Amino acid sequence: AQSVSQHNHHVILSEAASLELGCNYSYGGTVNLFWYVQYPGQHLQLLLKYFSGDPLVKGIKGFEAEFIKSKFSFNLRKPSVQWSDTAEYFCAVNAGDSSYKLIFGSGTRLLVRP
Amino acid sequence: EAQVTQNPRYLITVTGKKLTVTCSQNMNHEYMSWYRQDPGLGLRQIYYSMNVEVTDKGDVPEGYKVSRKEKRNFPLILESPSPNQTSLYFCASRPSIGPTETQYFGPGTRLLVL
């Protein structure tokens, strides 16, 4: 069965620090990859997505992610975080014959200290 | 404004008392789904619907029912709620089952079953 792993469950950073959140998936075929963000008390919203082309994808609010097929990874990055980036981040994938189904990772809670 | 709405946003109930959480989208989306979000487990799909009168089980369907009589509405029904259904529930929709489509989420319903 397909699965998505986010190994960092909690991350604490100071403002201006760089961020990298890991995401690995288990599927050997074509995948479509997403990062969603959930700010405190709000619903999930899309940060960025990858389905083809340039493996380095840029999203909103200065976030980017790199798809590395050989590592089955889609890590999220931001060069300099802000206090307002405090949120929970979810990686998600749809793949293979269940391409309509979105499978989510367990999420990473990011706390940015001012 | 394009959106997914859910009601109620917060609900406290007792074991065995039937309840319905409504979900409505105004974007003419074909695909709708329900998720539950639990700490450390991310989002897990309960049920989904690819179009009117077409519904199917997700990963954790036990104890839930859904219906899709109209394109815009996708209510979640708990016939006999139990404490293990205490969770945060999200409804989501997207234009079609296409794998690259962005999924839009509702604001969430926080349910406590005593």
Side-chain angles (χ1 to χ4, degrees):
Chain A
Q2 297 136 20
S3 65
V4 179
S5 298
Q6 293 181 244
H7 302 294
N8 309 105
H9 297 297
H10 293 90
V11 173
I12 302 174
L13 295 172
S14 298
E15 275 194 314
S18 64
L19 170 72
E20 180 159 5
L21 301 182
C23 172
N24 290 90
Y25 61 91
S26 64
Y27 184 71
T30 302
V31 291
N32 301 288
L33 299 153
F34 304 79
W35 275 98
Y36 281 85
V37 61
Q38 185 179 27
Y39 297 104
Q42 296 188 27
H43 59 279
L44 279 83
Q45 52 188 286
L46 182 72
L47 263 183
L48 48 81
K49 64 181 179 181
Y50 169 82
F51 51 93
S52 67
D54 188 344
L56 185 61
V57 181
K58 294 196 185 299
I60 61 171
K61 305 188 181 188
F63 286 91
E64 64 179 31
E66 185 175 14
F67 170 52
I68 304 180
K69 190 174 181 179
S70 60
K71 294 185 178 180
F72 299 90
S73 70
F74 189 55
N75 292 354
L76 181 71
R77 299 197 291 247
K78 186 171 184 178
S80 177
V81 294
Q82 300 172 314
W83 175 78
S84 57
D85 293 323
T86 293
E88 189 159 17
Y89 294 81
F90 292 93
C91 182
V93 60
N94 59 28
D97 57 4
S98 297
S99 60
Y100 50 80
K101 182 177 176 181
L102 207 54
I103 299 168
F104 284 85
S106 57
T108 298
R109 280 190 189 273
L110 171 66
L111 172 63
V112 180
R113 290 184 170 147
Chain B
E1 182 190 353
Q3 59 183 346
V4 180
T5 57
Q6 293 178 230
N7 281 293
R9 295 288 313 279
Y10 303 91
L11 181 58
I12 301 174
T13 190
V14 295
T15 299
K17 186 175 181 183
K18 181 179 178 180
L19 66 92
T20 299
V21 183
T22 65
C23 172
S24 183
Q25 49 93 4
N26 62 0
M27 297 171 279
N28 201 37
H29 287 174
E30 291 183 353
Y31 182 90
M32 298 185 74
S33 59
W34 276 102
Y35 296 85
R36 59 178 289 173
Q37 182 183 5
D38 301 290
L41 297 177
L43 277 78
R44 294 177 292 166
Q45 191 179 53
I46 303 170
Y47 268 94
Y48 63 92
S49 168
M50 289 194 274
N51 214 323
V52 176
E53 301 292 4
V54 181
T55 63
D56 208 346
K57 297 177 181 178
D59 296 316
V60 289
E62 293 78 21
Y64 304 95
K65 283 175 56 176
V66 292
S67 68
R68 187 95 182 270
K69 294 187 172 63
E70 307 164 277
K71 200 170 188 179
R72 61 184 291 128
N73 296 323
F74 190 46
L76 179 70
I77 302 156
L78 285 72
E79 294 270 2
S80 183
S82 62
N84 65 11
Q85 292 178 298
T86 291
S87 187
L88 178 58
Y89 291 87
F90 287 102
C91 180
S93 74
R94 71 180 197 240
S96 71
I97 64 171
T100 63
E101 302 275 9
T102 299
Q103 195 146 265
Y104 296 86
F105 287 83
T109 295
R110 195 169 286 280
L111 172 65
L112 172 61
V113 183
L114 300 172

